[in-house]
Amino acid sequence: MTNPMLIGIAGGTGSGKSTFAEGLRALFPNEVTIIAYDNYYKPQDHLSMDERIKTNYDCPDALDTDLLVKHLRLLQSGQSVDIPNYDFRIHTRKAETTRLSPTPVMIVDGILTFHDERLREMFDIKIFADADADERILRRLRRDVTERGRNIDGVIEQYIGTVKIMHGIYVEPTKKYADIIINGGRNKTALDIVSTRIAKKINENI
């Protein structure tokens, strides 16, 4: 197999990043792997639960980007890696990791995917998912309450206190690095364009 194609998907919380990534994987279920940048949040076992809750998760310092870069380079060289698993209910990593082997196409999905230059330089395609702020907070609210065990007041407080501010400082400015900007995660035209590139990459490996 030739070096995997690396696709980066960035954008604000609730913008449709994961939906778009899953749309691509659905088209190529055996060739596409998704790596959630969220799993690379730094472990916080040394902090109390109150301290973990108050952590700013929307700034670059909250993420172990060095480890992600290391893992992507190993995958590009054909080696398998052990991906951390982050538990959002307890705000730290699980003890178990997930073994991941390289596939023809690997997608990295996260709000700060384009912030670090080392990551940007690795991607063959860079996609920024854009969406109205009202839509994004509603999607985040639904996700955090139903999937992450949060309460409504806590989600709103976090959004106003850090998420909205950090989006303007760190996330929105990285839109300029994107090759493709999509409006939401169900953009069929963008899906067709990117899937054509993926199909070409897969055919090269046959």
Side-chain angles (χ1 to χ4, degrees):
M1 184 176 76
T2 58
N3 285 347
M5 169 186 279
L6 292 183
I7 299 175
I9 305 180
T13 181
S15 61
K17 300 181 301 300
S18 298
T19 299
F20 192 80
E22 290 294 347
L24 292 172
R25 181 159 63 179
L27 294 172
F28 308 95
N30 299 317
E31 293 85 10
V32 172
T33 298
I34 299 172
I35 300 174
Y37 200 176
D38 283 0
N39 277 324
Y40 287 82
Y41 277 118
K42 294 175 181 176
Q44 301 203 101
D45 307 74
H46 60 292
L47 299 177
S48 68
M49 184 56 71
D50 285 343
E51 289 173 315
R52 296 179 194 180
I53 291 172
K54 294 175 183 177
T55 297
N56 180 358
Y57 294 96
D58 292 81
C59 70
D61 289 343
L63 292 150
D64 190 350
T65 303
D66 290 344
L67 181 61
L68 175 58
V69 170
K70 177 182 176 181
H71 280 175
L72 291 177
R73 287 173 176 164
L74 288 170
L75 289 165
Q76 281 187 312
S77 69
Q79 301 180 61
S80 298
V81 297
D82 294 312
I83 300 291
N85 289 303
Y86 199 84
D87 190 332
F88 291 92
R89 293 178 181 272
I90 59 174
H91 303 281
T92 194
R93 290 181 188 174
K94 297 178 181 179
E96 308 82 20
T97 57
T98 297
R99 190 71 169 171
L100 186 66
S101 298
T103 54
V105 180
M106 314 204 77
I107 299 172
V108 179
D109 155 26
I111 62 172
L112 294 170
T113 304
F114 301 157
H115 181 267
D116 192 292
E117 184 179 2
R118 293 171 300 169
L119 284 177
R120 294 198 303 270
E121 290 179 347
M122 297 176 79
F123 296 129
D124 298 289
I125 305 174
K126 296 184 288 294
I127 302 164
F128 190 95
D130 209 3
D132 181 80
D134 290 341
E135 293 180 32
R136 292 193 291 103
I137 180 55
L138 290 173
R139 290 173 187 162
R140 183 188 179 101
L141 187 63
R142 183 186 297 116
R143 180 201 67 190
D144 283 5
V145 171
T146 59
E147 299 177 17
R148 299 183 177 180
R150 308 288 171 78
N151 62 67
I152 293 175
D153 289 341
V155 175
I156 293 173
E157 181 180 345
Q158 185 181 35
Y159 181 81
I160 294 173
T162 57
V163 177
K164 183 178 180 180
I165 298 168
M166 295 298 104
H167 177 84
I169 295 173
Y170 293 115
V171 182
E172 187 70 19
T174 66
K175 186 192 296 186
K176 65 185 178 185
Y177 299 116
D179 302 308
I180 301 171
I181 298 174
I182 61 175
N183 184 14
R186 293 183 172 85
N187 188 310
K188 187 179 183 305
T189 301
L191 203 63
D192 289 344
I193 292 170
V194 179
S195 63
T196 298
R197 286 282 305 274
I198 290 175
K200 181 180 179 181
K201 176 65 176 181
I202 292 171
N203 289 333
E204 290 175 359
N205 292 332
I206 295 175

